[in-house]
Amino acid sequence: MKMTYDYLPGTQIYLHQRKDMFRMNTDTALLGNFMKVKEDETVLDIGTNNGALLLYASQYTKGKLIGIDIQQEACDLAAQNLKDQNIENFEVICSDIADVHVEPVDVIVCNPPYFRVNNNQQLNENEYKRIARHECYLTMDVLCKSVNRLLKEKGRFYLVHRADRLVDLCVELRNAELEIKTIQMIRDCENEDAHGILIEAVKQGKPHCIVKSEHIVKR
């Protein structure tokens, strides 16, 4: 098992990552800086992987940090990274999100699997990466229903996803009583079209959405 010790962009934090597992990327950093967390709020990260998004949240809140992941190796790594930063008020749970039962939280954040599962030929051969990138165990509708169940009324949900699935996201979020409040498109400086999207949604929020200026990723 090969490990690296890497800088969390925009912070003074470093974390361990396994080379054979899903590693933080530009989307992780964008989401970590996009979400808004207030002091003493409880934050839950669905698909926490190495705990990067919880580490971002730890800069703003002294409240409890909860990581959920279906892979035990990811849970162990996230717990170690949180301990390395002297964070004590956290819990990492190895479970399918549909089976998780915790007290409703203030904020949920997620960098979910992006790709639909149509046939096995399209799936990544590495099991760790396959679970992180493809909707094998976490489909969009299950994610949104789980967020509704685990979020307090007027709680906030932050996620990053592919821009080409925006319509699916709008439908599933509203079906789960999660009203989109903020949208920001993500575009590579070398392309004309957006490839990603950042979303803030509020449970049982009133219809009103702000579309922020696009974020251009520079190479």
Side-chain angles (χ1 to χ4, degrees):
M1 175 175 51
K2 294 183 179 180
M3 302 278 288
T4 59
Y5 193 53
D6 303 301
Y7 167 68
L8 196 63
T11 75
Q12 295 182 339
I13 298 171
Y14 283 78
L15 77 165
H16 291 94
Q17 300 194 90
R18 281 178 51 164
K19 285 193 171 183
D20 61 335
M21 296 178 69
F22 183 80
R23 297 163 62 81
M24 66 176 179
N25 54 22
T26 302
D27 288 349
T28 311
L30 290 174
L31 180 57
N33 288 289
F34 176 78
M35 65 175 171
K36 300 178 181 67
V37 181
K38 301 174 185 177
E39 188 176 4
D40 297 327
E41 286 190 320
T42 301
V43 179
L44 186 150
D45 178 16
I46 298 176
T48 194
N49 191 41
N50 52 33
L53 289 169
L54 292 179
L55 291 173
Y56 274 112
S58 72
Q59 300 176 105
Y60 310 109
T61 182
K62 297 177 183 176
K64 188 173 184 179
L65 303 176
I66 305 171
I68 310 294
D69 205 288
I70 200 168
Q71 302 178 84
Q72 185 62 57
E73 294 88 345
C75 291
D76 294 341
L77 186 56
Q80 186 59 56
N81 281 325
L82 290 164
K83 289 177 182 176
D84 287 348
Q85 297 301 316
N86 298 314
I87 297 169
E88 298 179 353
N89 192 14
F90 76 87
E91 180 180 9
V92 180
I93 302 169
C94 184
S95 175
D96 187 310
I97 190 61
D99 299 325
V100 171
H101 298 280
V102 297
E103 290 294 319
V105 301
D106 301 291
V107 174
I108 294 179
V109 61
C110 184
N111 182 356
Y114 291 170
F115 302 107
R116 296 185 183 91
V117 177
N118 296 318
N119 60 70
N120 290 333
Q121 292 180 344
Q122 295 179 343
L123 301 185
N124 196 298
E125 293 182 0
N126 178 304
E127 182 180 7
Y128 299 125
K129 295 178 181 178
R130 180 170 68 246
I131 291 173
R133 293 173 177 169
H134 301 271
E135 293 183 338
C136 305
Y137 296 101
L138 183 62
T139 59
M140 192 180 291
D141 64 324
V142 170
L143 171 63
C144 293
K145 290 175 182 175
S146 298
V147 169
N148 174 279
R149 178 172 56 85
L150 296 170
L151 200 59
K152 292 180 180 178
E153 184 178 349
K154 304 303 181 183
R156 305 182 304 286
F157 176 41
Y158 297 95
L159 80 159
V160 61
H161 217 290
R162 287 175 57 89
D164 60 11
R165 298 201 64 186
L166 175 57
V167 174
D168 295 335
L169 284 164
C170 291
V171 171
E172 295 296 347
L173 286 167
R174 180 161 276 182
N175 284 343
E177 297 184 300
L178 299 167
E179 192 66 28
I180 297 176
K181 306 298 286 185
T182 309
I183 288 177
Q184 185 173 31
M185 307 305 290
I186 306 166
R187 178 172 66 85
D188 191 293
C189 64
E190 298 178 356
N191 297 323
E192 294 184 358
D193 298 327
H195 67 271
I197 185 168
L198 293 159
I199 290 178
E200 175 192 42
V202 173
K203 180 177 177 178
Q204 298 176 356
K206 295 181 180 180
H208 178 73
C209 178
I210 296 173
V211 180
K212 300 180 70 173
S213 299
E214 65 180 353
H215 182 97
I216 301 175
V217 179
K218 299 178 181 180
R219 298 298 179 185

